[in-house]
Amino acid sequence: MKTILVTGATGTLGRQVAERLRTEGADVRGLSRRSPSYAVDLRDGKGLDGVDTIVHCASSPRGGDDRAAGYLIEAAQRAGVPHLVYISIVGVDRVPLGYYTLKHRVERMIEDSGVGATIQRTTQFHDLVLSVVSGASKLPVLPVPAGVSVQPVDSGEVADRLAALALGAPAGRVPDLGGPEVREFSGLAGAYLRATGRRRRVVPVRLAGKAYAGFRGGGHLNLEHAVGTVTFEEFLARRHLRAG
């Protein structure tokens, strides 16, 4: 039985990864700022003794991912953890967004660490698209970035993949995991409005900057690895959304 530490274990992805690993019989230690389930201080390496694999799902768009990853890598090195699985994002090396730049930096830190590693990139989660359009729908009109398409993937399918990778041997950078459809943001906003029964005019808005240009150019898409199966409409139906 493998002992696996999951960081971000109460988040959208980490919670599902932990559940799947437990189903497979793994001894799962959940590490999260919101959960006291396992006492781990990455700054001194305590708590990683006997861990076979770390699945690093914790992340913050507010910054600091590289600093947190540095603590994690150093702790893994001291404890002799043989396998570190990292979830990253398609396009971190192509779209000049600050958060993506940090994720790419963490990828390189892990690759250079000497710890056996597996790096999985995915496209954006359905959950992220839902968060964006539901937040925007609170306005009298629903603004979306003009000319931007996304390839959303179901977080449950990503959790399945990460659990399988965690139970295996280090594999380096593995093939990307993309959602089944490339959709314009305006179309996804319309799907959300239909699912909730809300009435809003969807307004495409042109933005400025290199990051926006990167998204308009499709740097965050990967059509060759559109292996997910759950569509955005199917995801919304499972959420049983209601107008609010």
Side-chain angles (χ1 to χ4, degrees):
M1 180 175 66
K2 281 195 172 185
T3 298
I4 301 178
L5 175 70
V6 179
T7 73
T10 60
T12 297
L13 179 62
R15 171 179 50 80
Q16 297 180 83
V17 172
E19 290 171 354
R20 284 155 174 74
L21 289 170
R22 290 189 180 101
T23 299
E24 293 296 325
D27 174 18
V28 178
R29 303 176 181 179
L31 173 61
S32 168
R33 285 173 294 191
R34 294 190 179 93
S35 173
S37 61
Y38 200 80
V40 177
D41 188 341
L42 298 179
R43 290 169 297 183
D44 59 21
K46 293 180 179 178
L48 294 186
D49 292 342
V51 170
D52 299 298
T53 302
I54 299 169
V55 184
H56 188 29
C57 297
S59 184
S60 174
R62 293 186 295 274
D65 274 17
D66 52 344
R67 183 171 60 256
Y71 287 138
L72 184 66
I73 290 168
E74 291 173 5
Q77 291 169 331
R78 287 193 295 269
V81 177
H83 190 190
L84 173 57
V85 180
Y86 181 58
I87 177 70
S88 189
I89 307 170
V90 170
V92 292
D93 53 347
R94 298 193 295 265
V95 178
L97 182 70
Y99 179 55
Y100 280 29
T101 299
L102 280 182
K103 297 287 285 187
H104 192 213
R105 183 180 303 163
V106 172
E107 286 186 2
R108 296 195 302 268
M109 290 169 63
I110 292 172
E111 290 169 340
D112 294 341
S113 69
V115 177
T118 300
I119 296 174
Q120 174 71 70
R121 291 183 183 178
T122 76
T123 53
Q124 289 76 22
F125 293 173
H126 291 311
D127 308 79
L128 175 62
V129 176
L130 174 59
S131 176
V132 171
V133 296
S134 63
S137 71
K138 294 179 172 62
L139 300 171
V141 297
L142 200 164
V144 296
V148 173
S149 295
V150 290
Q151 188 182 350
V153 67
D154 186 71
S155 59
E157 293 183 302
V158 176
D160 289 339
R161 173 74 68 84
L162 287 185
L165 292 171
L167 293 169
R173 166 96 184 273
V174 297
D176 297 343
L177 175 56
E181 301 176 316
V182 175
R183 304 274 299 276
E184 287 193 5
F185 231 111
S186 56
L188 295 171
Y192 168 78
L193 293 173
R194 289 189 295 274
T196 59
R198 294 185 176 188
R199 298 175 63 85
R200 296 285 190 280
R201 183 164 66 93
V202 177
V203 179
V205 178
R206 292 188 65 87
L207 304 173
K210 293 181 179 180
Y212 174 59
F215 285 120
R216 280 179 57 88
H220 59 304
L221 308 177
N222 195 325
L223 305 184
E224 295 180 359
H225 295 284
V227 295
T229 61
V230 179
T231 67
F232 188 61
E233 281 82 358
E234 291 169 338
F235 163 77
L236 293 176
R238 289 196 319 224
R239 296 294 292 264
H240 303 291
L241 298 173
R242 295 291 183 269

